Amino acid sequence: MNVQILLFEGFDELDAIGPFEVLKRANECGANFQVKMVTLGLPRVIGYYGLEVKADEYINEENYPDILIVPGGGWNHRGGKGARKEAESETIPSLIGKFYKEGSIIAGVCTGGMLMAAAGIAKGHKATMHHLAEKEMESYGCEVVGARVVDDHDLITARGVTSGIDLALWLIERFVGSEAACQVEKRLEYERRGTVWRRR
C-alpha cells in the first residue's frame, strides 16, 4: 500500500514519526506499506518543536496514495505555524479533498483531523478529536465520538498526539491482520490504548 504522511511547517513531530515507524515495522511482519514523508514542495520542513525533517518526495496530485496520513500541530496553540495556519491557507485542505475524491483513505492524527474537516470531507461522518478542539470539530458538521480511533470507512481519525501510534496499529490490523498488528505491538513494547470505533 502506498502511504504518504503529509508534512508542513509546524507539524507535530510525534503525530508523523509515530505512525511512520509503526508502519515501517509492519513490513518486518509481512506487510507491504510503502511509507513516505511528503511535503507541498519544501525539501525540508521544521516541526512545531524544532525537529527538521527531509521529505522523501513532494506531494503530487497525479500520485494519489492509498492512505494519506495528516498530522496536526499548533492548532490549540494558535501560533504562526501549524495545522490552523494551513487550514486558513486552504492549500492542504484542497489537496485532501482531491485525494479523497480520487479514493484515498484520509487518516488524521490529533488536529490533523481539523484539516480534514476544513477540506469539507468530515461533514456527516463520525470522528474523534483532541479534547481541546472537539467543539471546533463538531462545528464542521461531524459527530465527535470519544474513542481513541474512529474508523468511518475512508475517513479515520485519532484522538490526540500519542494516538497516532494506535491509529497505525489499527491500519495494520485492518489491512494486514491482527497477528501482524500484535507482532508490531510486541516489538515496540507498546500496549494499545482506548477503543477503536468502526462503522460496520
Side-chain angles (χ1 to χ4, degrees), residues 139-186:
S139 74
Y140 283 93
C142 65
E143 181 183 345
V144 174
V145 178
R148 180 86 165 163
V149 175
V150 170
D151 183 337
D152 200 351
H153 295 308
D154 46 10
L155 293 177
I156 306 173
T157 46
R159 190 167 179 83
V161 182
T162 57
S163 63
I165 296 170
D166 298 286
L167 180 144
L169 287 166
W170 169 247
L171 290 175
I172 297 167
E173 182 171 335
R174 176 174 162 179
F175 293 106
V176 185
S178 57
E179 183 176 345
C182 286
Q183 287 179 23
V184 173
E185 190 176 342
K186 185 175 181 180

Side-chain angles (χ1 to χ4, degrees), residues 10-175:
F11 75 94
D12 185 279
E13 286 88 340
L14 188 54
D15 283 5
I17 303 300
F20 178 84
E21 179 167 339
V22 173
L23 294 175
K24 283 285 195 176
R25 281 179 177 261
N27 292 336
E28 301 168 1
C29 302
N32 185 21
F33 291 112
Q34 306 301 315
V35 189
K36 293 185 176 179
M37 299 285 198
V38 299
T39 69
L40 291 172
L42 297 171
R44 298 174 185 273
V45 291
I46 299 176
Y48 191 83
Y49 293 100
L51 179 68
E52 185 174 341
V53 178
K54 180 180 181 293
D56 294 309
E57 61 185 46
Y58 302 141
I59 199 164
N60 183 346
E61 291 183 41
E62 304 303 317
N63 179 25
Y64 295 98
D66 297 307
I67 303 173
L68 179 69
I69 297 178
V70 185
W75 187 275
N76 298 316
H77 296 87
R78 299 178 183 271
K81 59 182 181 178
R84 187 179 292 276
K85 186 169 181 62
E86 296 300 332
E88 291 169 354
S89 79
E90 300 182 1
T91 303
I92 286 180
S94 177
L95 275 171
I96 290 171
K98 288 177 182 177
F99 279 34
Y100 180 70
K101 287 178 183 176
E102 289 294 325
S104 296
I105 293 171
I106 311 297
V109 181
C110 194
T111 54
M114 296 303 301
L115 287 166
M116 295 163 62
I121 64 174
K123 187 175 182 179
H125 289 270
K126 293 186 186 290
T128 192
M129 177 49 56
H130 189 285
H131 68 278
L132 292 177
E134 283 183 352
K135 296 297 183 185
E136 284 183 276
M137 189 71 175
E138 288 173 344
S139 74
Y140 283 93
C142 65
E143 181 183 345
V144 174
V145 178
R148 180 86 165 163
V149 175
V150 170
D151 183 337
D152 200 351
H153 295 308
D154 46 10
L155 293 177
I156 306 173
T157 46
R159 190 167 179 83
V161 182
T162 57
S163 63
I165 296 170
D166 298 286
L167 180 144
L169 287 166
W170 169 247
L171 290 175
I172 297 167
E173 182 171 335
R174 176 174 162 179
F175 293 106

